[in-house]
Amino acid sequence: MMQAPEKAPLTTVAADPIILRVQDVYKHFPIAGFGGLAVRAVDGVDLEIRRGEALGLVGESGCGKSTLARLITALLPVTRGKIIFEGQEITKMRGGRLRRMRRKMQMIFQDPFASLDPRMTVGDIIQEPLDNYGIGSGKARQRRVQELLRLVGLNPNFTNRYPHEFSGGQRQRIGIARALAVNPSFIVCDEAVSALDVSIQAQIINLLQDLQREFNLTYLFIAHDLAVVRHLSDRIAVMYLGKIVETAGRNDIYDHPQHPYTRALLSSIPVPDPVVERTRAPILLKGEIPSPVNPPSGCRFHTRCPIARVPGICSEQEPPLEPHGQRDQLAACHFAGEK
Amino acid sequence: MAQTLLQVEDLHTQFFTSRGVVRAVDGVSLHIDVGETLGVVGESGCGKTITALSILRLVPDPGKIVSGRILFRGNDVVKMDDDEIRDFRGNDVAMIFQDPMTSLNPVTRIGSQIEEAMTAHKRFTPEQAKSRVIELLTRVRVPSAETRAKDYPHQFSGGMRQRAMIAMGLANEPSLLIADEPTTALDVTVQAQIIQLMKQLNRELGTAMMLITHNMALVASLCQRVVVMYAGRVVEEGPVEQIFKSPQHPYTWSLLRSVPRVDEARKDRLVSIKGLPPDLSNPPPGCKFHPRCPFVIDRCRVEEPPLGEVGPDQVARCWVLMRNVSEGDVATAKQSSISVAAAENLKAPVADIGTKSGS
Ligand SMILES: Nc1ncnc2c1ncn2[C@@H]1O[C@H](COP(=O)(O)OP(=O)(O)OP(=O)(O)O)[C@@H](O)[C@H]1O
Ligand SMILES: Nc1ncnc2c1ncn2[C@@H]1O[C@H](COP(=O)(O)OP(=O)(O)O)[C@@H](O)[C@H]1O
Ligand code: SF4
Ligand code: SF4
Ligand SMILES: [Mg+2]
Ligand SMILES: [Mg+2]
């Protein structure tokens, strides 16, 4: 039986109900040749993820979800701010310590076609993280790979096949097996089911739920499909133009949205039920998401907000993310809860 | 009595590849009435796009319409000569695609492209065409249409490009608009704007629409009738409300239960369909869905069911039909889709994975 090479450093840390803290985090990508200008992909984010929960992160394309995911998993350095994982500030870590920390957080990506090396066999793809971290002997690693394949519902004898021999859903399972190989406690799924056909998507969603229950995993689940996110999440964070504008439980966010953007976003989603659809009245937002190079002043949603007071406080003062609405609900709006 | 606009009868479109003959469209019959919105749904590769391309006679090589009739106002599109088909594409029907960038010319201004679409088909004089450009862009709600008409496609956002595509599709006042995944690439708030737009156009102009999509919610929102395709065939068809309330084909039933709803309060387990759709160059015998069907009986493996009437205006291709499946079998079907990693795998001792993060 393989042993993890190191134990969690402190028992008190393991008891911390918050597994991940994101504190005032920024990521600006400078635009080459435009001195000083930058894409403000993540622009002051505060977020907490609780141990064992599935936190959903939603928002329109380009709002900074993937960038935030890559900051959290330390695949990208922050411009400013702190990220604390299991009590330790990973934004300060380098080298071996960071590598060991990263082992506990794995990422599953959107594109099952692009994220697997086409020249490697499935066995090697899944085994690679075990090799990298020097976990177990050669024999034990091979056994582990077969167990992982079985765990995600693939034939354990497939180890010698190549990714192109598998369907999209099967490739996504291979990606999941690889992510699970090193016993992570925290998994970030960035659009992990978005590219899949509905029936295959259902298989992967069910699998992710089974795995979470069985191994008490913590998920950060990112997708632009809100129905999928709501289905998989316990709590949901809504992002707009580099900032979190609301967080709440999966039911509160739907039943009592406090931020006008959340309300509009949720009302825009059609439901597979013609009877409901006959009367659903979406709140239509004006235009599209502004450029993150130069976000609007004050509340950055004010250019599209149906209840903005402009000119006035909305274009002048940035609203803080504060408790509003139900217990455990935060919203960044001067007129939270108003319609 | 509604007037039939398009009637597709027993259409077979095949691709002649080195691997063999791919039966992409394998005996499809469907119809669209004047002013009606028809949804066409099914998993990837089931023949939706090729059906649409066949209607326009735009099937790419090495594909061919092998047999069947496509009657548009009674005229068979399959038999039309080159002039007739050009007229048909210019004046009667238009198609909008998932990715507007593939169908917009990147080096021509948006306004000029829409104008060209009109002058090419000679339905409008050059003067009329010019003045209609702004009118069309305004109709699809492109803001400041007059200035934006001078933009190039790359200066438009994804949603605006899709609007421009729709404007171009409407330029010659077609009586049928075929939209293939028109909102899939768009963000939800923009998708909502486009859905609204398509509803309004259907209402204001009476344009009939054939909406091809994976998204059941879009069908519920936009369509009056729906055709469900599987492996190149129609497996169920009927009024949207009836199909959603009481689907009779196990494939339709599974599709409807495989998608989460944003308005669900509880996390019910999704139904997943085991396996994959068949290879259309080598489909299974009998009912093509039988290898994946939770309600399969012996007969299904050897004999293919016909499309039979199962309710008012509703037809389904199944020997069993959902209404004859016992509650117990439905419950088992939901259970068995429990996964994949099947309960037994999860419970089996898995070396090392045993170091659970929480315990
Ligand atoms: N150029 C081609 N050569 C060979 N086979 C083809 C070609 N184009 C399509 N096919 C096959 O025809 C079948 C139907 O394809 P079609 O594009 O109509 O699917 P679809 O239902 O639109 O799927 P999607 O939802 O993925 O768009 C598929 O099996 C596909 O592989
Ligand atoms: N490496 C990069 N260099 C420059 N800009 C980037 C980079 N990565 C992301 N961006 C920009 O940052 C913003 C947020 O992107 P992303 O996090 O990918 O959004 P999302 O995942 O929410 O769609 C976008 O404007 C994107 O173009
Ligand atoms: S602060 Fe003002 S502009 Fe921003 S969301 Fe609230 S009401 Fe709208
Ligand atoms: S005919 Fe048989 S296999 Fe086909 S859908 Fe009906 S029950 Fe299932
Ligand atoms: Mg992304
Ligand atoms: Mg298609």
Side-chain angles (χ1 to χ4, degrees):
Chain A
M1 206 105 316
M2 281 180 278
Q3 267 306 307
E6 33 157 21
K7 291 268 166 232
L10 287 170
T11 45
T12 50
V13 169
D16 185 351
I18 308 292
I19 193 170
L20 183 95
R21 292 187 161 81
V22 177
Q23 294 176 348
D24 202 25
V25 161
Y26 291 78
K27 182 68 193 182
H28 290 182
F29 296 104
I31 305 175
F34 289 85
L37 275 189
V39 178
R40 294 156 70 163
V42 170
D43 210 21
V45 161
D46 288 286
L47 193 64
E48 286 184 344
I49 304 181
R50 297 166 196 167
R51 193 175 297 278
E53 82 171 344
L55 178 73
L57 179 63
V58 300
E60 288 167 280
S61 78
C63 73
K65 305 181 296 295
S66 298
T67 304
L68 182 58
R70 291 195 292 152
L71 295 174
I72 286 174
T73 46
L75 294 171
L76 201 64
V78 299
T79 303
R80 197 165 97 215
K82 272 191 199 172
I83 295 171
I84 299 161
F85 180 72
E86 299 207 319
Q88 304 194 36
E89 188 180 341
I90 56 169
T91 27
K92 283 228 183 80
M93 286 184 190
R94 298 281 177 276
R97 270 186 80 210
L98 178 62
R99 242 170 57 84
R100 283 193 296 277
M101 208 55 168
R102 272 183 30 193
R103 198 189 125 179
K104 297 184 189 163
M105 349 181 190
Q106 292 293 314
M107 191 138 161
I108 301 168
F109 296 93
Q110 163 165 19
D111 188 349
F113 304 90
S115 58
L116 304 176
D117 186 337
R119 291 156 307 182
M120 285 170 75
T121 65
V122 164
D124 290 341
I125 287 171
I126 300 174
Q127 197 178 314
E128 191 179 45
L130 297 171
D131 297 341
N132 286 347
Y133 286 104
I135 301 171
S137 65
K139 265 255 147 11
R141 282 180 204 167
Q142 282 163 24
R143 216 171 41 235
R144 176 65 196 265
V145 167
Q146 297 197 332
E147 281 161 359
L148 285 161
L149 279 170
R150 209 153 21 91
L151 183 71
V152 297
L154 292 174
N155 187 330
N157 301 322
F158 283 175
T159 47
N160 288 324
R161 302 204 184 177
Y162 290 88
H164 74 259
E165 298 175 61
F166 292 90
S167 69
Q170 288 174 318
R171 282 184 247 207
Q172 200 52 287
R173 283 165 204 242
I174 296 166
I176 294 172
R178 179 184 156 99
L180 289 172
V182 292
N183 286 331
S185 46
F186 175 50
I187 295 190
V188 177
C189 305
D190 189 1
E191 305 281 3
V193 299
S194 309
L196 305 172
D197 238 327
V198 283
S199 71
I200 314 297
Q201 183 177 318
Q203 294 173 9
I204 301 293
I205 289 174
N206 288 347
L207 174 63
L208 287 171
Q209 283 180 321
D210 292 342
L211 293 171
Q212 184 186 25
R213 204 164 309 134
E214 192 66 11
F215 301 115
N216 193 20
L217 298 169
T218 304
Y219 283 147
L220 174 61
F221 194 86
I222 301 174
H224 63 268
D225 183 335
L226 264 110
V228 169
V229 173
R230 181 153 190 241
H231 181 81
L232 264 160
S233 308
D234 304 306
R235 223 154 47 89
I236 291 175
V238 182
M239 199 165 176
Y240 187 77
L241 217 51
K243 288 195 92 90
I244 304 289
V245 297
E246 181 157 12
T247 64
R250 65 183 297 281
N251 287 340
D252 287 334
I253 203 126
Y254 193 79
D255 298 332
H256 319 280
Q258 295 298 305
H259 196 285
Y261 179 62
T262 310
R263 187 173 292 122
L265 201 60
L266 288 166
S267 80
S268 339
I269 302 152
V271 174
D273 182 341
V275 181
V276 174
E277 280 305 302
R278 260 195 316 236
T279 52
R280 187 178 58 91
I283 300 167
L284 293 180
L285 292 179
K286 295 172 271 187
E288 290 164 45
I289 194 166
S291 158
V293 174
N294 191 8
S297 64
C299 170
R300 54 192 69 198
F301 185 54
H302 85 249
T303 52
R304 299 172 79 197
C305 179
I307 62 165
R309 317 290 208 269
V310 178
I313 187 169
C314 293
S315 54
E316 286 157 13
Q317 222 171 300
E318 179 146 33
L321 187 63
E322 288 176 338
H324 284 289
Q326 309 296 303
R327 214 183 108 241
D328 217 16
Q329 184 164 15
L330 305 173
C333 170
H334 296 304
F335 302 97
E338 289 184 25
K339 286 185 191 166
Chain B
M1 201 49 221
Q3 202 189 333
T4 305
L5 181 66
L6 178 83
Q7 174 106 34
V8 176
E9 290 175 359
D10 200 24
L11 178 70
H12 291 258
T13 303
Q14 301 175 352
F15 288 88
F16 298 88
T17 72
S18 51
R19 287 182 298 115
V21 178
V22 179
R23 299 165 175 277
V25 180
D26 200 26
V28 164
S29 298
L30 56 81
H31 71 98
I32 303 177
D33 289 339
V34 172
E36 187 186 33
T37 50
L38 175 76
V40 178
V41 299
E43 278 168 285
S44 196
C46 69
K48 306 181 294 294
T49 300
I50 302 301
T51 300
L53 293 176
S54 301
I55 292 170
L56 289 160
R57 287 248 314 262
L58 287 174
V59 180
D61 280 342
K64 257 196 183 59
I65 297 177
V66 176
S67 62
R69 299 205 297 169
I70 301 169
L71 302 174
F72 187 85
R73 294 215 165 95
N75 297 321
D76 192 349
V77 177
V78 179
K79 296 216 178 87
M80 285 180 182
D81 65 25
D82 288 356
D83 286 341
E84 289 169 321
I85 199 78
R86 209 172 310 121
D87 258 14
F88 170 65
R89 287 188 206 136
N91 294 326
D92 299 318
V93 48
M95 182 152 173
I96 53 180
F97 297 89
Q98 173 169 352
D99 179 7
M101 236 12 204
T102 57
S103 23
L104 288 172
N105 183 345
V107 298
T108 309
R109 296 176 200 275
I110 296 275
S112 314
Q113 296 195 44
I114 299 175
E115 202 178 315
E116 276 165 25
M118 286 182 276
T119 45
H121 291 289
K122 305 206 168 61
R123 186 177 178 122
F124 296 97
T125 64
E127 293 71 38
Q128 284 173 320
K130 217 176 210 74
S131 70
R132 267 178 64 78
V133 168
I134 309 299
E135 184 192 319
L136 284 161
L137 285 174
T138 311
R139 190 180 274 288
V140 297
R141 291 155 185 96
V142 168
S144 346
E146 209 130 346
T147 36
R148 299 311 299 257
K150 299 190 189 99
D151 282 355
Y152 292 95
H154 74 265
Q155 292 169 287
F156 271 33
S157 66
M160 298 248 293
R161 269 180 228 143
Q162 200 54 283
R163 283 162 195 272
M165 268 303 297
I166 295 176
M168 192 139 59
L170 295 173
N172 291 307
E173 300 175 326
S175 30
L176 174 64
L177 188 65
I178 302 178
D180 193 354
E181 302 279 4
T183 63
T184 310
L186 305 174
D187 271 315
V188 284
T189 60
V190 183
Q191 176 182 303
Q193 297 164 354
I194 300 288
I195 293 175
Q196 186 87 349
L197 171 65
M198 292 177 57
K199 275 186 185 166
Q200 273 161 353
L201 293 173
N202 175 251
R203 238 187 348 248
E204 289 165 16
L205 305 177
T207 315
M209 230 176 292
M210 176 168 162
L211 173 73
I212 297 173
T213 181
H214 291 154
N215 188 340
M216 286 294 190
L218 219 56
V219 172
S221 179
L222 270 169
C223 301
Q224 288 149 7
R225 221 151 38 80
V226 59
V227 163
V228 183
M229 283 186 71
Y230 187 77
R233 290 184 178 265
V234 174
V235 296
E236 186 155 14
E237 189 214 309
V240 162
E241 296 193 2
Q242 215 166 298
I243 299 270
F244 276 67
K245 196 168 103 214
S246 155
Q248 289 304 312
H249 196 284
Y251 181 61
T252 315
W253 178 86
S254 314
L255 268 189
L256 285 168
R257 276 157 192 75
S258 67
V259 285
R261 298 173 53 143
V262 74
D263 62 346
E264 72 182 359
R266 258 173 357 120
K267 300 189 192 183
D268 271 338
R269 204 176 176 82
L270 300 176
V271 168
S272 66
I273 310 173
K274 65 182 179 204
L276 293 171
D279 173 0
L280 296 187
S281 63
N282 186 22
C287 169
K288 291 188 166 121
F289 188 54
H290 89 253
R292 307 175 75 192
C293 181
F295 311 113
V296 57
I297 55 173
D298 285 344
R299 187 180 189 183
C300 311
R301 297 191 178 90
V302 288
E303 205 182 331
E304 178 160 39
L307 257 187
E309 185 140 347
V310 295
D313 294 323
Q314 186 177 356
V315 290
R317 189 188 287 284
C318 174
W319 293 124
V320 175
L321 300 179
M322 289 311 295
R323 62 170 169 246
N324 301 318
V325 177
S326 70
E327 269 175 44
D329 285 353
V330 166
T332 316
K334 285 186 182 161
Q335 280 302 311
S336 70
S337 73
I338 270 211
S339 127
V340 206
E344 103 210 37
N345 279 337
L346 276 174
K347 283 188 202 113
V350 179
D352 195 29
I353 291 205
T355 28
K356 293 178 194 171
S357 54
S359 49

